[in-house]
Amino acid sequence: MNKIFTFFIITFISSTIFSDDVLNEIVYWELTRVDAKIEEKKYDEAEDILRYWYKKNWRSRSYNKAVIARTYGFFLFQRERFEEALEKLQTAYDENALPLVEATSLVQAIAQLYSSQGQIPKAKELLLNFIEKAESNPKPVPGMHNVYAITALIYASEKNYDIAYDYINLAISLSTAFREDWYQLKFAIEYNREDYLNAEISAKELLLFKGAVPFKLRLSASEWRFALTSFAVKVALFWLLELAFCKWDQERWVCNVVGKGFIRCLITFALMDLLVIPQIRRLRNR
């Protein structure tokens, strides 16, 4: 926690360069006192300072008020007082005084808090509002890939997979580093959209980036034998169901699977036998 607050203090100093407003010198030293109190584990005294400055009458669109509210919000978050933290962080955002480059991380924190509190519509409204602001900005706003990824996750949770897919692809395209959780979300969205060809590509990319070697080198000889045997059995069962059972009784639930088509089932079988089952067997053998 001490390191987190030291980071915020440094951020406040450097961020004044980019802001139309500047951090008041008195406020700066008071925030430094807060950091010192936290290092001494005097949390009540630290909160007293934050509460005093938070309740002062500031002019509208005050950069100082926004910074204080943000600091207070993250302090409460670290104390696991999430509802109070959400209120303070939202106040910091509503001041409309923070430059977009600073507001990006704040919006992510607020959206995640809203989501954790089950207030998904508010999280989505906040994110879409910020995306509109950022995209109307003449210059690209750093950190937007994280905002797009959270937005994609929210839309996916609502089973709005088409919009979720657009946002996760945008997040991945803007990121300079491989994010395993984003590719996992992309794969899940593609699978739910029944876009099995792209799902297969995403699965391969996950393996290549995560393991840094082609997947074929990751299976032992016994695992290959098991995977190929299992795959062959599934293919045989597919044609048995397609040519026999489902010709006579298409109401069986298994016929819904067969009805998706041979290519889609083939890709699903391959993903199961080459990706999922080997990992499960390894976990069981540990």
Side-chain angles (χ1 to χ4, degrees):
M1 184 171 177
N2 297 341
K3 291 181 179 178
I4 291 173
F5 267 83
T6 301
F7 168 77
F8 283 131
I9 294 298
I10 294 171
T11 302
F12 298 153
I13 297 169
S14 61
S15 64
T16 58
I17 298 172
F18 303 102
S19 177
D20 293 335
D21 206 341
V22 294
L23 196 63
N24 182 293
E25 184 178 354
I26 296 174
V27 172
Y28 164 74
W29 287 114
E30 289 299 294
L31 292 175
T32 304
R33 283 183 61 212
V34 169
D35 188 53
K37 296 294 184 184
I38 291 169
E39 286 189 11
E40 296 168 4
K41 301 188 184 303
K42 297 179 179 178
Y43 301 120
D44 290 341
E45 293 182 26
E47 184 171 1
D48 287 341
I49 298 169
L50 288 168
R51 186 186 299 110
Y52 172 80
W53 288 98
Y54 177 79
K55 289 185 175 181
K56 283 184 69 69
N57 291 323
W58 299 96
R59 64 174 176 80
S60 62
R61 295 176 62 89
S62 167
Y63 181 74
N64 290 285
K65 173 65 178 289
V67 169
I68 291 165
R70 180 176 62 179
T71 309
Y72 198 178
F74 281 117
F75 171 84
L76 293 168
F77 179 84
Q78 292 295 320
R79 305 299 294 165
E80 299 184 358
R81 292 158 58 184
F82 300 124
E83 290 187 8
E84 295 173 85
L86 189 53
E87 177 196 346
K88 301 301 185 294
L89 293 174
Q90 185 68 61
T91 298
Y93 179 74
D94 290 341
E95 280 293 312
N96 289 317
L98 296 172
L100 290 174
V101 66
E102 287 186 63
T104 306
S105 58
L106 177 63
V107 166
Q108 294 173 52
I110 297 172
Q112 289 171 337
L113 271 172
Y114 273 133
S115 299
S116 68
Q117 299 284 315
Q119 301 183 58
I120 301 298
K122 285 190 175 181
K124 186 166 70 171
E125 181 183 359
L126 172 74
L127 290 164
L128 294 178
N129 173 270
F130 184 73
I131 287 170
E132 184 179 357
K133 287 182 181 178
E135 291 182 345
S136 64
N137 195 57
K139 296 182 179 180
V141 179
M144 283 303 296
H145 53 296
N146 293 313
V147 175
Y148 289 135
I150 297 172
T151 308
L153 183 60
I154 287 177
Y155 274 108
S157 70
E158 296 177 335
K159 298 185 179 180
N160 197 333
Y161 298 119
D162 290 339
I163 298 178
Y165 195 54
D166 290 339
Y167 277 118
I168 196 60
N169 278 320
L170 190 54
I172 290 171
S173 69
L174 292 175
S175 179
T176 57
F178 175 74
R179 292 288 299 271
E180 182 181 353
D181 53 337
W182 293 3
Y183 272 88
Q184 288 173 345
L185 177 58
K186 182 173 180 284
F187 170 78
I189 293 170
E190 288 163 343
Y191 190 84
N192 280 284
R193 295 175 76 208
E194 298 185 353
D195 184 3
Y196 299 116
L197 290 177
N198 279 320
E200 181 185 15
I201 293 170
S202 296
K204 287 179 179 178
E205 288 174 333
L206 269 168
L207 286 168
L208 287 170
F209 280 102
K210 185 177 179 181
V213 293
F215 184 73
K216 63 182 180 180
L217 300 179
R218 294 166 60 88
L219 291 181
S220 66
S222 62
E223 287 174 330
W224 267 114
R225 284 194 299 271
F226 182 89
L228 292 175
T229 302
S230 177
F231 180 75
V233 169
K234 288 184 178 69
V235 172
L237 284 172
F238 174 90
W239 287 114
L240 177 64
L241 293 168
E242 171 72 13
L243 299 174
F245 292 98
C246 295
K247 289 291 183 182
W248 303 103
D249 186 2
Q250 295 183 358
E251 298 300 321
R252 293 174 181 267
W253 69 269
V254 74
C255 295
N256 293 329
V257 177
V258 172
K260 294 183 181 295
F262 178 65
I263 297 298
R264 290 180 175 179
C265 289
L266 196 68
I267 293 169
T268 303
F269 297 159
L271 290 172
M272 288 294 294
D273 290 320
L274 298 177
L275 304 183
V276 180
I277 294 177
Q279 300 300 323
I280 294 173
R281 294 184 71 206
R282 288 174 187 174
L283 288 172
R284 289 182 62 185
N285 291 334
R286 285 180 181 175

